Amino acid sequence: MLYRRIGTIAAAALALTVGLSLPALAHVSINPGTAEKGGWTKLAFRVPNERDDASTTKLVVTFPTDHPLPFVSVKPVPGWKAELTEGKLPEPIVADDGDKVTESVLKITWTGGKIEPGQFQEFEVSVGPLPKDVDEIAFPTEQTYSGGDVVKWTDEPKADGTEAEHPTPTLKLVAASSEEHAGMAMPAAAPPSAQSAQSVAMMKQGAASPMSDGTARIMGVAGIIVGLVGGGIGLVGFRRRSTTA
């Protein structure tokens, strides 16, 4: 009886834990969640359907204007239509290469498809180059359901560190791997003359090695055998000529 009660309590606790974790798993998110500063990357906006009685029919992702992304391309999603909205930035931005950027992609809107209850969909984009002077980029997102409800994923992190109800999908930016190893010296390649000298030294060392010595002996024996065979053939030919004469 005691074990049965313990099992019942454990099952109830597990169900409660899973129930509490479901909302967090259902958030709109970016995958992968990190990318290298200054690089190019592919992002997938993962959109789960949180409703049991409605389907997701529209998604709008807003792109940053304080750190615009110069290049944005969209991967087609079967059944969905993607529309890129471009426009002027509130203020011109000087890119890392020194060029002045005045326009960029402001948002992407996906329509025409459906994400049914209990399903999710990923909307992929390729972006770059990423900024080098910030640690994260936020992409405020709006998710529209077939019933007309709109969920805005635009909440900022709470001051106490807990997760917001509708957190903004955010991409974390980390230092590029090449920058992390910039202080490590790479071995310099030897100049042609040094390489030639090294090759000659290796040939001399190989000639003096037991293996090379054995190979030379084998080649010598083979040469003797070839010589004997050749001599035998010549002798037979000489005898034939003598007999004929």
Side-chain angles (χ1 to χ4, degrees):
M1 191 60 140
L2 177 60
Y3 292 109
R4 184 178 299 177
R5 289 181 179 178
I6 294 175
T8 302
I9 294 174
L14 178 61
L16 178 61
T17 302
V18 173
L20 292 176
S21 62
L22 285 178
L25 295 175
H27 290 341
V28 173
S29 60
I30 296 177
N31 294 278
T34 60
E36 292 186 352
K37 296 180 179 180
W40 296 70
T41 189
K42 181 183 73 173
L43 305 177
F45 293 94
R46 182 174 296 172
V47 183
N49 187 25
E50 295 183 317
R51 304 295 174 83
D52 296 330
D53 57 351
S55 301
T56 297
T57 57
K58 182 179 179 181
L59 185 74
V60 180
V61 177
T62 301
F63 279 63
T65 56
D66 52 348
H67 297 282
L69 301 174
F71 179 84
V72 178
S73 63
V74 180
K75 182 177 181 179
V77 179
W80 292 81
K81 177 184 176 181
E83 180 181 355
L84 279 71
T85 301
E86 300 181 1
K88 291 186 177 181
L89 298 173
E91 295 182 4
I93 301 295
V94 179
D96 294 331
D97 57 4
D99 293 338
K100 183 178 291 186
V101 179
T102 59
E103 296 184 357
S104 71
V105 173
L106 302 180
K107 65 180 180 180
I108 301 179
T109 303
W110 283 273
T111 56
K114 287 185 179 182
I115 306 176
E116 303 289 351
Q119 298 179 358
F120 75 93
Q121 179 66 56
E122 288 189 339
F123 302 87
E124 296 181 338
V125 297
S126 177
V127 299
L130 298 171
K132 298 180 179 180
D133 55 347
V134 294
D135 296 327
E136 63 181 25
I137 301 177
F139 295 86
T141 301
E142 293 185 1
Q143 181 181 9
T144 301
Y145 287 92
S146 54
D149 294 338
V150 178
V151 178
K152 296 184 178 181
W153 300 92
T154 57
D155 293 348
E156 297 182 357
K158 294 183 179 180
D160 59 2
T162 58
E163 191 175 39
E165 182 178 1
H166 298 99
T168 304
T170 303
L171 176 67
K172 303 291 184 180
L173 300 180
V174 298
S177 57
S178 58
E179 294 180 0
E180 293 177 355
H181 301 288
M184 299 178 60
M186 298 297 291
S193 58
Q195 292 178 356
S196 301
Q198 184 178 7
S199 301
V200 173
M202 292 178 64
M203 293 175 62
K204 290 182 178 179
Q205 182 179 1
S209 63
M211 183 177 296
S212 298
D213 189 25
T215 304
R217 291 179 181 180
I218 295 173
M219 294 298 294
V221 172
I224 294 173
I225 294 174
V226 173
L228 291 175
V229 172
I233 295 173
L235 180 60
V236 171
F238 175 76
R239 286 180 178 179
R240 288 180 178 178
R241 287 196 298 272
S242 298
T243 303
T244 304

